[in-house]
Amino acid sequence: MNDSFEHFLMQAEETEHLISEVARVTGGERGLIEECGDLLSITYNSQVCYTIFLFIINYTTDILLYSVPIP
């Protein structure tokens, strides 16, 4: 009976170790996912700014081209 209890105790300790390892890895993965989300947000904002910049350049160019009187 004592051997069964010791075997059960060893399995419980191993399970506790594995659960701790899963929690550690999960925490690291959570940090990486948050970093990835931040980088995607920066990329999106940069793309929006670039698109607005191109629109302004094209709009300004059109105004300059079409506002010059043709002789």
Side-chain angles (χ1 to χ4, degrees), residues 3-68:
D3 289 340
S4 296
F5 181 74
E6 286 180 19
H7 179 71
F8 175 75
L9 187 59
M10 287 175 39
Q11 284 184 332
E13 289 173 352
E14 183 179 340
T15 301
E16 180 182 15
H17 172 73
L18 291 174
I19 290 172
S20 295
E21 186 67 17
V22 168
R24 186 187 65 77
V25 170
T26 302
E29 293 295 321
R30 182 175 293 123
L32 292 173
I33 289 170
E34 288 175 6
E35 182 180 353
C36 183
D38 292 343
L39 292 172
L40 283 172
S41 178
I42 290 168
T43 302
Y44 173 78
N45 289 333
S46 296
Q47 182 64 40
V48 168
C49 289
Y50 179 71
T51 302
I52 291 170
F53 174 75
L54 287 180
F55 175 77
I56 291 170
I57 293 296
N58 287 333
Y59 182 75
T60 305
T61 303
D62 288 347
I63 289 175
L64 291 173
L65 285 175
Y66 295 114
S67 65
V68 175

